[in-house]
Amino acid sequence: MAGNLLFYYFGDDEAYFKTLQGEMRLHCRLAYDLKKVYATDEKKIQSLFLTIYKTRPAGIFIDFSKNTQDYLHLARIIARTPLEHSMITVGLVDYLSPPEVLMESVATGVNLTHIKSAESFDVVFDVMSLISPGQMSHGFATAGLKEDLEAGIPVKIGYIHNEGIHFETDYKLTKGSKIVLNHHWAQKKTVPSKTVTINNITSMNLFYQFKYAVDAEFMFIDEFLPPEGMDEATIAEKKTEREDLIQYHHKLLSRWIDDNMSRSFEKRAKVLVVDGEFKFYQDQQRTDKHPYTIRCVPFLQDVGLELDRFQPQVIAFAIDKKEKDNPKNTQQALDHLVNAIKNKFSDISPFIIIFNSEFSSKQCQDNLQYANIMAVNGEMSVDLLVRMADIFEKKMASMPVTTPKKSERRVYIKKTNSASISEIMIPIKIVKLSESDMIFQTDIPLVVGSNLHLTTPVDMYVNVQLTKNQGKVPEYHGLIHCMGEDDKKELRRYVNSIFFRDHDAQVNAETEEFKKLNEAKLQEKLENESISAESKEPETEGET
């Protein structure tokens, strides 16, 4: 029906789809349509993006249980592409999915991730809470508490080198600051300390969907803080031990880099495709399978930002056809793009291929005063662009590269490698908790819509939203997700136990007082009995 909210389930689990239908029917108070779509071929799965772009759904559920990598790729391109409408994305995994898939689902940029189970209420509750806050109540018991916990902000690792690590995040950091980063090499004790120092932050040359690229330096071994009263000789000895350990773990990391250099691969050539029809997603090979990086956008909303973020060597620009309603990729937009390149990005000087052009290559070069242009009269040709990109990729690969010093070698981490996911650890205080959501406070400024990872009281993620109650310490509403049935039951027990904490504490205090009183009475009784016994002892007769 026209005007209804449109939802898609991209998957092949008929039983779960019916469960989802039932939960929506029970709890959604808005008019909606829920449609099931499934594809098995990687080209067809990638083409589902076009369905989203054309029909503008309010939300999509992407099932990663089958054809996992193809559907994860779909989730990534959705997260990286600027859309003209807001949309909630939910990743779905099952109990047979490896733990890495759950983590990667969150890292792709989906809003929520749920494990398919009989506990399916939260899937609908979370989506409705994001689409229409306050429209749906979970009705579960909510306990008040003040619990200080540690939470992790997921980040993606790009590469590692002998001194540190390069990662991307939405969390705004400060140069020179120290943070706790829970990363793969700390877990494996190659680099025991999780503390890193932020050396550089930029919004340029990004690979993932995040806002910032960060370079951080390892501490290797936590700083030694001598306790009060420790003598100078012992302090000097401890500091020497620390320096020796730093050198040892430097060597361990260097050895790891030696062992993994052959598996490291950097996609040096980058292609930016500006095309309102997304020809690269129309029954084409997955874009991440090319030996270079391809990013597709429908139009350039902010030319400087896009060029900063991606820094492409090749730009394909498809001019919108004249009959298109509200054209955005116009000749004027092209002029703006070329002027921005000449004025601010001359060091990049990308090669521009114009499709649907009314002018020849020579005319475009002359009109735009830019030599690196090829104009094509016809529509966007994926084959032509791929051939051009192949040429640039081979050209860049053949360029002489100075062999990096041992200390400058980089190992690039594949996006599917579990080591590519790390977490910035921050303190939070939970003030309200139910089995479906929580209210928490933190001095750390969080990005609304981002996710936090908690391992206490159970392993779970929370989607971060602001509350109306903003005091000195910012307060956030967290929608709980990424929990299986066992964790859900454990969280339910934990919430219920909070209600009995004060009561149990009072009972325990009364019991303890009663025990003390009994012990005092018993002791008094024993002393009285002892005195009484002494007074009744017979007198000893003297010698005769």
Side-chain angles (χ1 to χ4, degrees):
M1 293 176 62
N4 286 6
L5 293 177
L6 176 61
F7 294 92
Y8 285 113
Y9 166 72
F10 293 145
D12 191 36
D13 190 334
E14 187 64 35
Y16 186 78
F17 178 64
K18 288 181 178 177
T19 298
L20 196 57
Q21 283 180 312
E23 291 289 357
M24 294 280 285
R25 195 179 301 115
L26 278 173
H27 304 293
C28 184
R29 299 291 176 261
L30 304 173
Y32 71 91
D33 293 317
L34 174 61
K35 298 181 179 181
K36 177 176 176 289
V37 180
Y38 184 61
T40 56
D41 178 74
E42 71 170 52
K43 295 179 180 180
K44 299 296 182 185
I45 294 171
Q46 183 172 254
S47 296
L48 291 175
F49 176 87
L50 297 169
T51 302
I52 295 167
Y53 189 70
K54 292 174 182 177
T55 60
R56 301 189 175 194
I60 57 171
F61 303 89
I62 309 179
D63 196 331
F64 300 131
S65 305
K66 297 179 181 178
N67 303 96
T68 302
Q69 292 306 320
D70 295 325
Y71 279 100
L72 283 170
H73 171 70
L74 175 63
R76 290 190 198 100
I77 63 177
I78 291 169
R80 291 172 181 172
T81 307
L83 298 176
E84 295 181 85
H85 76 288
S86 59
M87 180 180 69
I88 308 302
T89 52
V90 181
L92 299 170
V93 301
D94 61 23
Y95 282 102
L96 297 178
S97 301
E100 294 81 10
V101 175
L102 184 69
M103 295 167 60
E104 185 57 34
S105 174
V106 176
T108 61
V110 297
N111 300 107
L112 307 155
T113 298
H114 282 281
I115 300 172
K116 295 186 295 181
S117 70
E119 298 275 9
S120 56
F121 167 82
D122 284 344
V123 182
V124 175
F125 170 72
D126 288 351
V127 171
M128 290 300 108
S129 296
L130 294 179
I131 289 177
S132 182
Q135 181 264 339
M136 181 177 171
S137 172
H138 57 66
F140 299 123
T142 299
L145 70 165
K146 290 184 179 179
E147 196 83 9
D148 291 314
L149 296 176
E150 193 176 46
I153 302 173
V155 305
K156 279 292 261 183
I157 304 296
Y159 58 83
I160 182 173
H161 54 84
N162 283 64
E163 301 298 330
I165 203 162
H166 177 92
F167 63 90
E168 294 184 22
T169 179
D170 283 333
Y171 177 41
K172 194 169 185 179
L173 294 161
T174 305
K175 185 176 180 180
S177 63
K178 288 182 171 60
I179 63 168
V180 176
L181 187 70
N182 187 14
H183 54 83
H184 168 83
W185 298 270
Q187 295 164 12
K188 296 297 182 181
K189 306 301 181 185
T190 306
V191 181
S193 176
K194 296 178 182 178
T195 301
V196 299
T197 303
I198 306 303
N199 285 347
N200 188 52
I201 305 161
T202 180
S203 57
M204 298 170 60
N205 205 16
L206 298 170
F207 183 76
Y208 293 103
Q209 76 276 5
F210 299 103
K211 294 179 181 178
Y212 307 107
V214 180
D215 289 297
E217 183 179 329
F218 291 132
M219 183 174 281
F220 283 95
I221 302 295
D222 287 332
E223 290 179 312
F224 171 66
L225 300 174
E228 187 177 350
M230 180 175 281
D231 61 273
E232 292 298 324
T234 305
I235 292 174
E237 182 183 344
K238 294 290 185 183
K239 287 183 177 180
T240 301
E241 287 177 3
R242 179 176 180 269
E243 290 300 321
D244 291 342
L245 283 171
I246 289 174
Q247 293 301 317
Y248 171 71
H249 287 285
H250 254 295
K251 291 178 182 177
L252 281 187
L253 179 59
S254 182
R255 192 179 307 153
W256 184 93
I257 290 173
D258 287 340
D259 294 341
N260 288 273
M261 279 297 292
S262 61
R263 290 187 283 273
S264 174
F265 175 69
E266 178 190 10
K267 291 185 175 182
R268 297 176 64 191
K270 291 174 285 187
V271 180
L272 176 63
V273 182
V274 185
D275 175 24
E277 296 183 4
F278 288 101
K279 289 289 178 66
F280 254 92
Y281 296 154
Q282 295 182 17
D283 294 322
Q284 298 293 326
Q285 178 186 14
R286 258 174 44 186
T287 53
D288 65 343
K289 287 192 172 182
H290 292 279
Y292 36 82
T293 305
I294 297 174
R295 290 289 178 269
C296 301
V297 296
F299 55 88
L300 292 172
Q301 192 167 19
D302 187 324
V303 175
L305 180 65
E306 290 293 343
L307 294 176
D308 249 348
R309 282 181 58 85
F310 196 53
Q311 299 196 330
Q313 285 79 37
V314 179
I315 299 176
F317 190 95
I319 296 176
D320 289 336
K321 296 175 182 177
K322 291 181 178 179
E323 61 269 21
K324 183 175 181 179
D325 294 333
N326 190 26
K328 290 185 171 65
N329 297 330
T330 61
Q331 184 65 44
Q332 185 179 1
L334 177 62
D335 295 348
H336 185 47
L337 167 63
V338 176
N339 286 331
I341 292 170
K342 290 190 296 184
N343 294 331
K344 296 182 180 179
F345 300 93
S346 57
D347 55 325
I348 303 176
S349 295
F351 193 89
I352 302 175
I353 307 172
I354 307 168
F355 292 93
N356 296 328
S357 176
E358 295 181 357
F359 307 102
S360 67
S361 299
K362 181 67 168 61
Q363 287 173 315
C364 288
Q365 292 167 6
D366 292 340
N367 293 340
L368 297 170
Q369 293 294 294
Y370 188 74
N372 296 338
I373 287 180
M374 183 176 79
V376 178
N377 187 36
E379 293 185 351
M380 167 78 69
S381 167
V382 173
D383 290 339
L384 172 61
L385 192 51
V386 166
R387 288 200 302 271
M388 294 292 296
D390 285 338
I391 292 171
F392 270 86
E393 191 274 330
K394 289 173 183 176
K395 181 180 178 181
M396 293 188 71
S398 64
M399 291 173 63
V401 178
T402 304
T403 302
K405 297 177 183 177
K406 194 167 184 179
S407 61
E408 296 173 346
R409 296 170 309 159
R410 298 174 177 178
V411 172
Y412 288 84
I413 312 299
K414 288 184 67 174
K415 63 178 179 291
T416 54
N417 189 329
S418 60
S420 70
I421 301 174
S422 297
E423 295 176 350
I424 299 172
M425 307 308 296
I426 63 168
I428 69 169
K429 182 190 292 291
I430 300 179
V431 295
K432 289 183 180 179
L433 179 66
S434 77
E435 63 183 71
S436 294
D437 63 352
M438 67 172 64
I439 302 295
F440 66 94
Q441 299 172 339
T442 179
D443 289 321
I444 308 298
L446 299 178
V447 177
V448 173
S450 62
N451 284 293
L452 290 183
H453 182 206
L454 288 87
T455 55
T456 303
V458 298
D459 201 310
M460 59 184 174
Y461 285 79
V462 295
N463 183 271
V464 177
Q465 301 293 317
L466 281 173
T467 68
K468 294 179 181 179
N469 181 24
Q470 294 301 313
K472 290 183 178 180
V473 180
E475 188 174 271
Y476 298 91
H477 180 211
L479 296 169
I480 298 173
H481 59 111
C482 288
M483 282 197 306
E485 287 185 20
D486 290 341
D487 283 334
K488 181 74 168 178
K489 291 174 183 176
E490 180 61 32
L491 181 59
R492 188 176 293 144
R493 284 193 290 267
Y494 180 81
V495 172
N496 290 335
S497 73
I498 295 171
F499 291 105
F500 297 99
R501 281 182 183 178
D502 293 340
H503 175 265
D504 291 347
Q506 184 178 349
V507 170
N508 290 337
E510 291 174 352
T511 302
E512 192 64 30
E513 190 64 31
F514 183 72
K515 285 181 180 178
K516 288 179 180 178
L517 183 62
N518 276 349
E519 288 173 0
K521 289 291 184 183
L522 177 62
Q523 186 64 31
E524 182 182 345
K525 181 181 179 182
L526 291 174
E527 289 176 355
N528 290 336
E529 288 177 351
S530 177
I531 293 171
S532 177
E534 288 177 1
S535 65
K536 292 180 180 179
E537 285 183 6
E539 294 181 0
T540 304
E541 293 182 359
E543 292 182 358
T544 56

